[in-house]
Amino acid sequence: MSTRMSELEGLGSEGGGGGPDWIMLDPPEPYEPVQHHWFYNQTSEGRDCWQPFSYEDSHRLEDAFTGVGESEGEVVVATEGRRYDVCVKERRRYAVYWDQTSSEVCRCSWFHKGSKEISYTPHTEDISSLLEDAYMIAVTLGEWKSNLELPTGETVILHNPKLMTQHPNYFKDFPPSPGERSQPRTLKRGIENIPVEIPEGEPDMVDHLVFMVHGIGPACDLRLRGIVQCVNEFRSASLALISSHFSPAEVHRSIGRVEFLPVNWHKVLHGESTGVDRDIERITLPSISRLRQFSNDTVLDLFFYNSPTYCQTIVDTVASEINRLHSLFLLRHPNFSGAVSVAGHSLGSLILFDLLTNQKAASETSEPEEVSENTEDFSSSSEPPCSSSDSLEEVLTSMGLEEHLRKLQKEQVDMEALMLCSEGDLKELGIPLGPRKKILHCVKKWKLQAPAVQTDKHSQNSSKLQTIQETPPTTSAVDYQHFDVGIGQVSIDYPQLVFHPQAFFAFGSPIGMFLTVRGLKRIHPNYSFPTCRSFYNIFHPFDPVAYRIEPMILSPDMDVPPMLMPHHKGRKRMHLELKEGLTRVGSDLLGSLRTVWQSFSQLPVPALAEGGATAAAAHLNEDMETSVMENEDRKEVTVGKLNGGRRIDYVLQETPIESFNEYLFAIQSHLCYWESEDTALLVLKEIYGNGPSGTSAQQ
């Protein structure tokens, strides 16, 4: 450095003129270490897509990285609302609540982008370290336009702090042709110099937990995204609405967030444990293969749910997955004290409706009843009995399966552990199909031998029947049990949830149609879910799968339209206001003319001469007041106890482009709820206590 300053002094002393003529040079900027930011690799359509962590998560990861020693073990940092765990040393990101391939994590500081690329891609940590060292030397010595050869063979030229390029490696003996030449890649140092959207961090405090159950098929929207991606979209919308529509002053306490967790039952139904896909594939015709595959993956789920065998699998999967996620959530959020709700889309809402209908209140049972995954009929009395007091060896010996005792004892499985084993667990132990079914058969019979449940079953079913339906339907089908709860559900054992939901939200739900097809004509106004006090039926006006609930509760002579949900940015959309205004003006004008004409025609001739106009005007005012009172009564109508006397049916506002052709947007309207901010806002209003609002929709 002293040599460099001597050279500069020598240059300043040249030129004569009687005194030193100093060259005014800006001193080099002092070197400052780069600020690292953590990214994770999210594969999209077979391509790598690097996404940044939030500032809060990145700081936590950086603190863990700088504080960990070489000899210490792995350090795990919870990120993204504690839904993902990052292993800092391994540089991997793992999902906590659902099955997902782990993704790569990188501590990033240098980024590159080609001329035809949209976003910047981070360099590996090793290359970033080399680039940072070269940059530090260039800044400290003020020597730019230096070349750095990377381990990949590419060359980096540091022109100045604002311009740095990365050139591909060409063989000297074989220079590229003009068509093969490519423009150099642009290099950027630090995340503050690249256009990237850093997500906002989520509050640590969770106010409410919502489990969301999907409908038919593995895809939940038109982009063919799964339930995890769609729930992520809904969660992001709710976070934005909480910050824009709710404040601590409105709810008189600090605001956290609402956690939404997906519940996936399609994967289990079509997995290896059931083998249903193999059976369906054997009988599927080879023609129009893609259409048949789509039908097998989606439409057949409706038929599976109406099958006693697979309906049991679906219901058991939904209940066990909700209970598992609930327990795991409490482990990761030990200070959680909020309530829990459930939401279902399409067929998922029907599954939750049947499940909630068959829950037992606290007075009926002290402990939720568990149901194993076996779905056979256990009414035969020829099987050898098994009891909870018997040892594992006695039970297996009574069934002639003592040869499998060693396998179970090797895994330290006793009778209590056996009650918790599923068919998949026994399959992993190497137990064949036949003995597997016998063991699950015995476990099932033991669980169903609870005397309290058996004693009160008939009285419970009778009381539910009198409440939910005045006249029970009759049927000769063996697999359906109308006498159980009066809504024609499949005759299966409905498991119990480990919590009592605060609210049940149904999106695009066919519940009303299924109840009608099952033979239910009317839901008694006094009926309510045993453990859930709120129920909202939310639908798009063009949704071909959605049906209403309120007409099944109200008397047939009451024609009450659904509640129109307000737009999240205002009361109504512009085109709906215009349409309603024109309709109101037209109806008011015709009604006024008709009323005036009737008034004149009914009054005697002398009265017409003396004060006919005044009487007609008074009669018109009375008619208008009566119309206003009728509209107010319509808004304040009490709709049974299913939602605590409040309205149940809520309809979304269609967009202006959807109003041009309702048939064109029919399918899209059934899949719009995951991205609907209006739907998310109604859910948040129910959760935070100020209740849903809306106006009576015009039919």
PDB file of all heavy atoms in Angstrom, residues 654-684:
ATOM      1  N   GLU A 654     -69.654 -12.674  -8.018  1.00  0.00           N
ATOM      2  CA  GLU A 654     -68.919 -13.011  -9.227  1.00  0.00           C
ATOM      3  C   GLU A 654     -68.201 -11.781  -9.766  1.00  0.00           C
ATOM      4  O   GLU A 654     -68.611 -10.635  -9.539  1.00  0.00           O
ATOM      5  CB  GLU A 654     -69.858 -13.567 -10.294  1.00  0.00           C
ATOM      6  CG  GLU A 654     -70.799 -12.555 -10.935  1.00  0.00           C
ATOM      7  CD  GLU A 654     -72.102 -12.405 -10.165  1.00  0.00           C
ATOM      8  OE1 GLU A 654     -72.165 -12.870  -9.013  1.00  0.00           O
ATOM      9  OE2 GLU A 654     -73.054 -11.815 -10.720  1.00  0.00           O
ATOM     10  N   THR A 655     -67.104 -12.023 -10.460  1.00  0.00           N
ATOM     11  CA  THR A 655     -66.345 -10.935 -11.058  1.00  0.00           C
ATOM     12  C   THR A 655     -67.046 -10.441 -12.316  1.00  0.00           C
ATOM     13  O   THR A 655     -67.902 -11.142 -12.877  1.00  0.00           O
ATOM     14  CB  THR A 655     -64.925 -11.400 -11.405  1.00  0.00           C
ATOM     15  OG1 THR A 655     -65.008 -12.475 -12.356  1.00  0.00           O
ATOM     16  CG2 THR A 655     -64.202 -11.905 -10.158  1.00  0.00           C
ATOM     17  N   PRO A 656     -66.709  -9.241 -12.791  1.00  0.00           N
ATOM     18  CA  PRO A 656     -67.370  -8.738 -14.002  1.00  0.00           C
ATOM     19  C   PRO A 656     -67.202  -9.647 -15.204  1.00  0.00           C
ATOM     20  O   PRO A 656     -68.148  -9.842 -15.975  1.00  0.00           O
ATOM     21  CB  PRO A 656     -66.694  -7.376 -14.224  1.00  0.00           C
ATOM     22  CG  PRO A 656     -66.225  -6.955 -12.873  1.00  0.00           C
ATOM     23  CD  PRO A 656     -65.848  -8.216 -12.165  1.00  0.00           C
ATOM     24  N   ILE A 657     -66.018 -10.233 -15.392  1.00  0.00           N
ATOM     25  CA  ILE A 657     -65.828 -11.088 -16.561  1.00  0.00           C
ATOM     26  C   ILE A 657     -66.615 -12.392 -16.428  1.00  0.00           C
ATOM     27  O   ILE A 657     -67.076 -12.961 -17.420  1.00  0.00           O
ATOM     28  CB  ILE A 657     -64.323 -11.371 -16.766  1.00  0.00           C
ATOM     29  CG1 ILE A 657     -64.091 -12.045 -18.117  1.00  0.00           C
ATOM     30  CG2 ILE A 657     -63.762 -12.220 -15.634  1.00  0.00           C
ATOM     31  CD1 ILE A 657     -62.632 -12.211 -18.458  1.00  0.00           C
ATOM     32  N   GLU A 658     -66.800 -12.871 -15.194  1.00  0.00           N
ATOM     33  CA  GLU A 658     -67.582 -14.097 -15.000  1.00  0.00           C
ATOM     34  C   GLU A 658     -69.050 -13.883 -15.299  1.00  0.00           C
ATOM     35  O   GLU A 658     -69.748 -14.817 -15.698  1.00  0.00           O
ATOM     36  CB  GLU A 658     -67.416 -14.595 -13.560  1.00  0.00           C
ATOM     37  CG  GLU A 658     -66.040 -15.134 -13.244  1.00  0.00           C
ATOM     38  CD  GLU A 658     -65.877 -15.488 -11.779  1.00  0.00           C
ATOM     39  OE1 GLU A 658     -66.706 -15.017 -10.964  1.00  0.00           O
ATOM     40  OE2 GLU A 658     -64.928 -16.215 -11.440  1.00  0.00           O
ATOM     41  N   SER A 659     -69.549 -12.657 -15.101  1.00  0.00           N
ATOM     42  CA  SER A 659     -70.967 -12.385 -15.315  1.00  0.00           C
ATOM     43  C   SER A 659     -71.352 -12.414 -16.785  1.00  0.00           C
ATOM     44  O   SER A 659     -72.541 -12.512 -17.099  1.00  0.00           O
ATOM     45  CB  SER A 659     -71.325 -11.020 -14.723  1.00  0.00           C
ATOM     46  OG  SER A 659     -70.581  -9.989 -15.357  1.00  0.00           O
ATOM     47  N   PHE A 660     -70.383 -12.373 -17.705  1.00  0.00           N
ATOM     48  CA  PHE A 660     -70.701 -12.403 -19.128  1.00  0.00           C
ATOM     49  C   PHE A 660     -71.159 -13.791 -19.571  1.00  0.00           C
ATOM     50  O   PHE A 660     -72.012 -13.919 -20.443  1.00  0.00           O
ATOM     51  CB  PHE A 660     -69.491 -11.954 -19.958  1.00  0.00           C
ATOM     52  CG  PHE A 660     -69.251 -10.482 -19.918  1.00  0.00           C
ATOM     53  CD1 PHE A 660     -68.189  -9.952 -19.208  1.00  0.00           C
ATOM     54  CD2 PHE A 660     -70.097  -9.606 -20.583  1.00  0.00           C
ATOM     55  CE1 PHE A 660     -67.965  -8.597 -19.154  1.00  0.00           C
ATOM     56  CE2 PHE A 660     -69.882  -8.242 -20.539  1.00  0.00           C
ATOM     57  CZ  PHE A 660     -68.818  -7.726 -19.820  1.00  0.00           C
ATOM     58  N   ASN A 661     -70.563 -14.830 -19.019  1.00  0.00           N
ATOM     59  CA  ASN A 661     -70.920 -16.193 -19.424  1.00  0.00           C
ATOM     60  C   ASN A 661     -70.704 -17.115 -18.221  1.00  0.00           C
ATOM     61  O   ASN A 661     -69.576 -17.502 -17.922  1.00  0.00           O
ATOM     62  CB  ASN A 661     -70.078 -16.656 -20.617  1.00  0.00           C
ATOM     63  CG  ASN A 661     -70.622 -17.929 -21.245  1.00  0.00           C
ATOM     64  OD1 ASN A 661     -71.132 -18.817 -20.554  1.00  0.00           O
ATOM     65  ND2 ASN A 661     -70.510 -18.031 -22.560  1.00  0.00           N
ATOM     66  N   GLU A 662     -71.773 -17.453 -17.534  1.00  0.00           N
ATOM     67  CA  GLU A 662     -71.653 -18.270 -16.328  1.00  0.00           C
ATOM     68  C   GLU A 662     -71.284 -19.710 -16.641  1.00  0.00           C
ATOM     69  O   GLU A 662     -70.689 -20.398 -15.806  1.00  0.00           O
ATOM     70  CB  GLU A 662     -72.964 -18.229 -15.538  1.00  0.00           C
ATOM     71  CG  GLU A 662     -74.181 -18.671 -16.326  1.00  0.00           C
ATOM     72  CD  GLU A 662     -75.465 -18.392 -15.583  1.00  0.00           C
ATOM     73  OE1 GLU A 662     -75.576 -17.303 -14.975  1.00  0.00           O
ATOM     74  OE2 GLU A 662     -76.359 -19.259 -15.610  1.00  0.00           O
ATOM     75  N   TYR A 663     -71.601 -20.196 -17.834  1.00  0.00           N
ATOM     76  CA  TYR A 663     -71.238 -21.573 -18.197  1.00  0.00           C
ATOM     77  C   TYR A 663     -69.737 -21.703 -18.445  1.00  0.00           C
ATOM     78  O   TYR A 663     -69.136 -22.726 -18.136  1.00  0.00           O
ATOM     79  CB  TYR A 663     -72.007 -22.016 -19.450  1.00  0.00           C
ATOM     80  CG  TYR A 663     -73.486 -22.159 -19.226  1.00  0.00           C
ATOM     81  CD1 TYR A 663     -74.355 -21.127 -19.542  1.00  0.00           C
ATOM     82  CD2 TYR A 663     -74.022 -23.329 -18.693  1.00  0.00           C
ATOM     83  CE1 TYR A 663     -75.721 -21.243 -19.337  1.00  0.00           C
ATOM     84  CE2 TYR A 663     -75.383 -23.464 -18.482  1.00  0.00           C
ATOM     85  CZ  TYR A 663     -76.227 -22.419 -18.804  1.00  0.00           C
ATOM     86  OH  TYR A 663     -77.573 -22.549 -18.595  1.00  0.00           O
ATOM     87  N   LEU A 664     -69.148 -20.658 -18.999  1.00  0.00           N
ATOM     88  CA  LEU A 664     -67.726 -20.700 -19.317  1.00  0.00           C
ATOM     89  C   LEU A 664     -66.869 -20.775 -18.058  1.00  0.00           C
ATOM     90  O   LEU A 664     -65.799 -21.383 -18.064  1.00  0.00           O
ATOM     91  CB  LEU A 664     -67.348 -19.464 -20.148  1.00  0.00           C
ATOM     92  CG  LEU A 664     -65.910 -19.396 -20.676  1.00  0.00           C
ATOM     93  CD1 LEU A 664     -65.640 -20.556 -21.628  1.00  0.00           C
ATOM     94  CD2 LEU A 664     -65.662 -18.066 -21.374  1.00  0.00           C
ATOM     95  N   PHE A 665     -67.347 -20.182 -16.978  1.00  0.00           N
ATOM     96  CA  PHE A 665     -66.563 -20.131 -15.742  1.00  0.00           C
ATOM     97  C   PHE A 665     -67.119 -21.070 -14.673  1.00  0.00           C
ATOM     98  O   PHE A 665     -66.813 -20.900 -13.490  1.00  0.00           O
ATOM     99  CB  PHE A 665     -66.545 -18.697 -15.197  1.00  0.00           C
ATOM    100  CG  PHE A 665     -65.835 -17.723 -16.089  1.00  0.00           C
ATOM    101  CD1 PHE A 665     -66.539 -16.977 -17.021  1.00  0.00           C
ATOM    102  CD2 PHE A 665     -64.462 -17.562 -16.011  1.00  0.00           C
ATOM    103  CE1 PHE A 665     -65.893 -16.073 -17.847  1.00  0.00           C
ATOM    104  CE2 PHE A 665     -63.806 -16.663 -16.829  1.00  0.00           C
ATOM    105  CZ  PHE A 665     -64.524 -15.921 -17.756  1.00  0.00           C
ATOM    106  N   ALA A 666     -67.903 -22.060 -15.077  1.00  0.00           N
ATOM    107  CA  ALA A 666     -68.528 -22.951 -14.094  1.00  0.00           C
ATOM    108  C   ALA A 666     -67.483 -23.776 -13.350  1.00  0.00           C
ATOM    109  O   ALA A 666     -67.485 -23.846 -12.116  1.00  0.00           O
ATOM    110  CB  ALA A 666     -69.546 -23.852 -14.778  1.00  0.00           C
ATOM    111  N   ILE A 667     -66.583 -24.425 -14.104  1.00  0.00           N
ATOM    112  CA  ILE A 667     -65.584 -25.272 -13.456  1.00  0.00           C
ATOM    113  C   ILE A 667     -64.632 -24.425 -12.617  1.00  0.00           C
ATOM    114  O   ILE A 667     -64.267 -24.788 -11.488  1.00  0.00           O
ATOM    115  CB  ILE A 667     -64.806 -26.076 -14.512  1.00  0.00           C
ATOM    116  CG1 ILE A 667     -65.763 -27.029 -15.248  1.00  0.00           C
ATOM    117  CG2 ILE A 667     -63.687 -26.873 -13.871  1.00  0.00           C
ATOM    118  CD1 ILE A 667     -65.097 -27.847 -16.329  1.00  0.00           C
ATOM    119  N   GLN A 668     -64.230 -23.297 -13.143  1.00  0.00           N
ATOM    120  CA  GLN A 668     -63.323 -22.420 -12.396  1.00  0.00           C
ATOM    121  C   GLN A 668     -63.963 -21.943 -11.101  1.00  0.00           C
ATOM    122  O   GLN A 668     -63.275 -21.799 -10.079  1.00  0.00           O
ATOM    123  CB  GLN A 668     -62.935 -21.232 -13.263  1.00  0.00           C
ATOM    124  CG  GLN A 668     -62.046 -20.209 -12.555  1.00  0.00           C
ATOM    125  CD  GLN A 668     -61.679 -19.047 -13.448  1.00  0.00           C
ATOM    126  OE1 GLN A 668     -61.631 -19.180 -14.658  1.00  0.00           O
ATOM    127  NE2 GLN A 668     -61.444 -17.895 -12.849  1.00  0.00           N
ATOM    128  N   SER A 669     -65.279 -21.697 -11.129  1.00  0.00           N
ATOM    129  CA  SER A 669     -65.953 -21.211  -9.922  1.00  0.00           C
ATOM    130  C   SER A 669     -65.949 -22.250  -8.813  1.00  0.00           C
ATOM    131  O   SER A 669     -66.003 -21.903  -7.630  1.00  0.00           O
ATOM    132  CB  SER A 669     -67.389 -20.804 -10.261  1.00  0.00           C
ATOM    133  OG  SER A 669     -68.147 -21.938 -10.678  1.00  0.00           O
ATOM    134  N   HIS A 670     -65.890 -23.533  -9.160  1.00  0.00           N
ATOM    135  CA  HIS A 670     -65.845 -24.567  -8.127  1.00  0.00           C
ATOM    136  C   HIS A 670     -64.460 -24.675  -7.493  1.00  0.00           C
ATOM    137  O   HIS A 670     -64.326 -25.230  -6.390  1.00  0.00           O
ATOM    138  CB  HIS A 670     -66.236 -25.920  -8.724  1.00  0.00           C
ATOM    139  CG  HIS A 670     -66.247 -27.036  -7.727  1.00  0.00           C
ATOM    140  ND1 HIS A 670     -67.063 -27.036  -6.616  1.00  0.00           N
ATOM    141  CD2 HIS A 670     -65.521 -28.191  -7.653  1.00  0.00           C
ATOM    142  CE1 HIS A 670     -66.856 -28.135  -5.914  1.00  0.00           C
ATOM    143  NE2 HIS A 670     -65.921 -28.847  -6.513  1.00  0.00           N
ATOM    144  N   LEU A 671     -63.447 -24.149  -8.144  1.00  0.00           N
ATOM    145  CA  LEU A 671     -62.077 -24.267  -7.650  1.00  0.00           C
ATOM    146  C   LEU A 671     -61.490 -22.927  -7.217  1.00  0.00           C
ATOM    147  O   LEU A 671     -60.288 -22.820  -7.032  1.00  0.00           O
ATOM    148  CB  LEU A 671     -61.186 -24.874  -8.743  1.00  0.00           C
ATOM    149  CG  LEU A 671     -61.656 -26.209  -9.331  1.00  0.00           C
ATOM    150  CD1 LEU A 671     -60.772 -26.610 -10.502  1.00  0.00           C
ATOM    151  CD2 LEU A 671     -61.668 -27.298  -8.270  1.00  0.00           C
ATOM    152  N   CYS A 672     -62.341 -21.917  -7.052  1.00  0.00           N
ATOM    153  CA  CYS A 672     -61.852 -20.556  -6.795  1.00  0.00           C
ATOM    154  C   CYS A 672     -61.637 -20.257  -5.326  1.00  0.00           C
ATOM    155  O   CYS A 672     -61.063 -19.220  -4.985  1.00  0.00           O
ATOM    156  CB  CYS A 672     -62.833 -19.538  -7.375  1.00  0.00           C
ATOM    157  SG  CYS A 672     -64.400 -19.431  -6.460  1.00  0.00           S
ATOM    158  N   TYR A 673     -62.081 -21.115  -4.427  1.00  0.00           N
ATOM    159  CA  TYR A 673     -62.118 -20.754  -3.008  1.00  0.00           C
ATOM    160  C   TYR A 673     -60.723 -20.639  -2.391  1.00  0.00           C
ATOM    161  O   TYR A 673     -60.533 -19.876  -1.442  1.00  0.00           O
ATOM    162  CB  TYR A 673     -62.950 -21.787  -2.243  1.00  0.00           C
ATOM    163  CG  TYR A 673     -64.329 -21.978  -2.815  1.00  0.00           C
ATOM    164  CD1 TYR A 673     -64.616 -23.040  -3.678  1.00  0.00           C
ATOM    165  CD2 TYR A 673     -65.352 -21.085  -2.531  1.00  0.00           C
ATOM    166  CE1 TYR A 673     -65.870 -23.213  -4.216  1.00  0.00           C
ATOM    167  CE2 TYR A 673     -66.617 -21.245  -3.072  1.00  0.00           C
ATOM    168  CZ  TYR A 673     -66.871 -22.306  -3.921  1.00  0.00           C
ATOM    169  OH  TYR A 673     -68.125 -22.471  -4.467  1.00  0.00           O
ATOM    170  N   TRP A 674     -59.760 -21.400  -2.899  1.00  0.00           N
ATOM    171  CA  TRP A 674     -58.420 -21.366  -2.312  1.00  0.00           C
ATOM    172  C   TRP A 674     -57.758 -20.010  -2.497  1.00  0.00           C
ATOM    173  O   TRP A 674     -56.921 -19.607  -1.686  1.00  0.00           O
ATOM    174  CB  TRP A 674     -57.551 -22.456  -2.940  1.00  0.00           C
ATOM    175  CG  TRP A 674     -58.149 -23.824  -2.850  1.00  0.00           C
ATOM    176  CD1 TRP A 674     -58.658 -24.566  -3.874  1.00  0.00           C
ATOM    177  CD2 TRP A 674     -58.310 -24.624  -1.667  1.00  0.00           C
ATOM    178  NE1 TRP A 674     -59.124 -25.777  -3.403  1.00  0.00           N
ATOM    179  CE2 TRP A 674     -58.922 -25.840  -2.057  1.00  0.00           C
ATOM    180  CE3 TRP A 674     -57.990 -24.430  -0.325  1.00  0.00           C
ATOM    181  CZ2 TRP A 674     -59.229 -26.839  -1.153  1.00  0.00           C
ATOM    182  CZ3 TRP A 674     -58.290 -25.427   0.577  1.00  0.00           C
ATOM    183  CH2 TRP A 674     -58.900 -26.615   0.164  1.00  0.00           C
ATOM    184  N   GLU A 675     -58.110 -19.283  -3.559  1.00  0.00           N
ATOM    185  CA  GLU A 675     -57.517 -17.973  -3.828  1.00  0.00           C
ATOM    186  C   GLU A 675     -58.474 -16.830  -3.523  1.00  0.00           C
ATOM    187  O   GLU A 675     -58.160 -15.680  -3.796  1.00  0.00           O
ATOM    188  CB  GLU A 675     -57.076 -17.885  -5.292  1.00  0.00           C
ATOM    189  CG  GLU A 675     -56.048 -18.934  -5.686  1.00  0.00           C
ATOM    190  CD  GLU A 675     -55.682 -18.859  -7.149  1.00  0.00           C
ATOM    191  OE1 GLU A 675     -56.332 -18.080  -7.878  1.00  0.00           O
ATOM    192  OE2 GLU A 675     -54.749 -19.562  -7.572  1.00  0.00           O
ATOM    193  N   SER A 676     -59.641 -17.140  -2.969  1.00  0.00           N
ATOM    194  CA  SER A 676     -60.664 -16.126  -2.739  1.00  0.00           C
ATOM    195  C   SER A 676     -60.377 -15.365  -1.450  1.00  0.00           C
ATOM    196  O   SER A 676     -60.430 -15.931  -0.349  1.00  0.00           O
ATOM    197  CB  SER A 676     -62.050 -16.786  -2.665  1.00  0.00           C
ATOM    198  OG  SER A 676     -63.037 -15.851  -2.264  1.00  0.00           O
ATOM    199  N   GLU A 677     -60.079 -14.082  -1.585  1.00  0.00           N
ATOM    200  CA  GLU A 677     -59.856 -13.250  -0.398  1.00  0.00           C
ATOM    201  C   GLU A 677     -61.162 -12.993   0.343  1.00  0.00           C
ATOM    202  O   GLU A 677     -61.158 -12.806   1.561  1.00  0.00           O
ATOM    203  CB  GLU A 677     -59.201 -11.935  -0.814  1.00  0.00           C
ATOM    204  CG  GLU A 677     -57.791 -12.110  -1.365  1.00  0.00           C
ATOM    205  CD  GLU A 677     -57.237 -10.833  -1.944  1.00  0.00           C
ATOM    206  OE1 GLU A 677     -57.886 -10.270  -2.852  1.00  0.00           O
ATOM    207  OE2 GLU A 677     -56.168 -10.396  -1.504  1.00  0.00           O
ATOM    208  N   ASP A 678     -62.287 -12.975  -0.378  1.00  0.00           N
ATOM    209  CA  ASP A 678     -63.578 -12.799   0.285  1.00  0.00           C
ATOM    210  C   ASP A 678     -63.889 -13.983   1.192  1.00  0.00           C
ATOM    211  O   ASP A 678     -64.418 -13.817   2.297  1.00  0.00           O
ATOM    212  CB  ASP A 678     -64.685 -12.635  -0.756  1.00  0.00           C
ATOM    213  CG  ASP A 678     -64.476 -11.412  -1.639  1.00  0.00           C
ATOM    214  OD1 ASP A 678     -63.655 -10.553  -1.257  1.00  0.00           O
ATOM    215  OD2 ASP A 678     -65.111 -11.319  -2.696  1.00  0.00           O
ATOM    216  N   THR A 679     -63.574 -15.195   0.730  1.00  0.00           N
ATOM    217  CA  THR A 679     -63.789 -16.380   1.557  1.00  0.00           C
ATOM    218  C   THR A 679     -62.892 -16.350   2.784  1.00  0.00           C
ATOM    219  O   THR A 679     -63.335 -16.627   3.910  1.00  0.00           O
ATOM    220  CB  THR A 679     -63.518 -17.649   0.740  1.00  0.00           C
ATOM    221  OG1 THR A 679     -64.369 -17.676  -0.410  1.00  0.00           O
ATOM    222  CG2 THR A 679     -63.765 -18.896   1.570  1.00  0.00           C
ATOM    223  N   ALA A 680     -61.630 -16.010   2.592  1.00  0.00           N
ATOM    224  CA  ALA A 680     -60.703 -15.936   3.727  1.00  0.00           C
ATOM    225  C   ALA A 680     -61.144 -14.879   4.732  1.00  0.00           C
ATOM    226  O   ALA A 680     -61.019 -15.075   5.951  1.00  0.00           O
ATOM    227  CB  ALA A 680     -59.292 -15.650   3.229  1.00  0.00           C
ATOM    228  N   LEU A 681     -61.699 -13.769   4.244  1.00  0.00           N
ATOM    229  CA  LEU A 681     -62.137 -12.708   5.147  1.00  0.00           C
ATOM    230  C   LEU A 681     -63.318 -13.154   5.992  1.00  0.00           C
ATOM    231  O   LEU A 681     -63.395 -12.838   7.193  1.00  0.00           O
ATOM    232  CB  LEU A 681     -62.495 -11.458   4.342  1.00  0.00           C
ATOM    233  CG  LEU A 681     -62.920 -10.234   5.162  1.00  0.00           C
ATOM    234  CD1 LEU A 681     -61.814  -9.818   6.121  1.00  0.00           C
ATOM    235  CD2 LEU A 681     -63.287  -9.079   4.238  1.00  0.00           C
ATOM    236  N   LEU A 682     -64.255 -13.893   5.413  1.00  0.00           N
ATOM    237  CA  LEU A 682     -65.384 -14.394   6.194  1.00  0.00           C
ATOM    238  C   LEU A 682     -64.913 -15.359   7.284  1.00  0.00           C
ATOM    239  O   LEU A 682     -65.402 -15.337   8.419  1.00  0.00           O
ATOM    240  CB  LEU A 682     -66.400 -15.082   5.281  1.00  0.00           C
ATOM    241  CG  LEU A 682     -67.694 -15.537   5.956  1.00  0.00           C
ATOM    242  CD1 LEU A 682     -68.890 -15.302   5.047  1.00  0.00           C
ATOM    243  CD2 LEU A 682     -67.659 -17.010   6.355  1.00  0.00           C
ATOM    244  N   VAL A 683     -63.944 -16.215   6.947  1.00  0.00           N
ATOM    245  CA  VAL A 683     -63.402 -17.142   7.944  1.00  0.00           C
ATOM    246  C   VAL A 683     -62.743 -16.366   9.077  1.00  0.00           C
ATOM    247  O   VAL A 683     -62.943 -16.681  10.266  1.00  0.00           O
ATOM    248  CB  VAL A 683     -62.395 -18.103   7.275  1.00  0.00           C
ATOM    249  CG1 VAL A 683     -61.694 -18.958   8.322  1.00  0.00           C
ATOM    250  CG2 VAL A 683     -63.104 -18.999   6.266  1.00  0.00           C
ATOM    251  N   LEU A 684     -61.984 -15.327   8.751  1.00  0.00           N
ATOM    252  CA  LEU A 684     -61.305 -14.541   9.782  1.00  0.00           C
ATOM    253  C   LEU A 684     -62.301 -13.786  10.650  1.00  0.00           C
ATOM    254  O   LEU A 684     -62.095 -13.645  11.865  1.00  0.00           O
ATOM    255  CB  LEU A 684     -60.331 -13.563   9.125  1.00  0.00           C
ATOM    256  CG  LEU A 684     -59.133 -14.186   8.400  1.00  0.00           C
ATOM    257  CD1 LEU A 684     -58.310 -13.104   7.718  1.00  0.00           C
ATOM    258  CD2 LEU A 684     -58.271 -14.990   9.360  1.00  0.00           C
TER     259      LEU A 684
END
